[in-house]
Amino acid sequence: MDYHVLAEEWLALEAGLHRVPAVRQLSALDKGVLFVLNYLYTKKEAVCPKELSREMAVSTARIATLLHHLEERGLVARRGDPKDNRRILVFLTPEGEGRIRARRAEAVGVLADTLAQLGPEDAQAFLRISSKILRNFSEGG
């Protein structure tokens, strides 16, 4: 089997998938403002800006600008870490939590419809294979 040919097919497939509504929903949750809100929502605790920088693979300066923007909109707040007053922690405000809950619900609806179109067996196979790919990348494989 020529894995290079399959890799070329995968690249072409990925390019086409960006037109699919479900993929656009996921992509939106993986960038900028929505990434920060979603990350804080799923962590369920305040985090330091450096962690956000690492998770987003962007500079701490970019995170500072993004957090300032989110704070102005009332979606996040920053406070000193009670355990270490040299550190700042970022957390969701009720407004931010409401906003990300609504966006997540919208994304889940679109994704559920997409998975339903695949049918139960293909939907489960897709998730199983995607999880395996993620594990392989995470393990350096």
Side-chain angles (χ1 to χ4, degrees):
M1 176 169 291
D2 187 343
Y3 289 105
H4 288 89
V5 170
L6 292 176
E8 289 288 344
E9 287 181 33
W10 188 0
L11 283 176
L13 180 62
E14 286 292 322
L17 283 172
H18 290 287
R19 293 187 301 271
V20 175
V23 175
R24 286 198 306 264
Q25 288 282 344
L26 283 176
S27 183
L29 288 174
D30 202 29
K31 293 185 179 107
V33 167
L34 290 177
F35 178 92
V36 171
L37 296 179
N38 192 50
Y39 187 79
L40 292 170
Y41 182 79
T42 57
K43 280 291 272 197
K44 305 221 183 297
E45 63 183 18
V47 301
C48 64
K50 190 171 187 172
E51 181 177 338
L52 289 169
S53 171
R54 185 178 59 249
E55 291 297 321
M56 288 182 74
V58 298
S59 71
T60 53
R62 171 71 180 118
I63 290 297
T65 301
L66 188 55
L67 291 177
H68 179 74
H69 173 70
L70 288 169
E71 204 167 27
E72 282 182 337
R73 293 172 55 194
L75 301 175
V76 302
R78 294 183 264 192
R79 68 169 178 252
D81 184 342
K83 297 175 188 169
D84 181 353
N85 36 345
R86 295 171 296 172
R87 289 179 14 143
I88 298 293
L89 295 175
V90 181
F91 60 95
L92 281 176
T93 63
E95 172 72 19
E97 186 170 337
R99 183 81 51 92
I100 195 59
R101 273 188 192 191
R103 287 303 294 264
R104 285 176 60 88
E106 188 179 310
V108 166
V110 171
L111 292 170
D113 290 346
T114 302
L115 291 170
Q117 290 173 11
L118 290 176
E121 290 176 16
D122 285 346
Q124 289 175 340
F126 169 75
L127 294 174
R128 180 183 56 76
I129 292 166
S130 296
S131 295
K132 187 173 184 175
I133 290 169
L134 179 59
R135 262 191 324 277
N136 287 347
F137 276 112
S138 297
E139 295 168 359

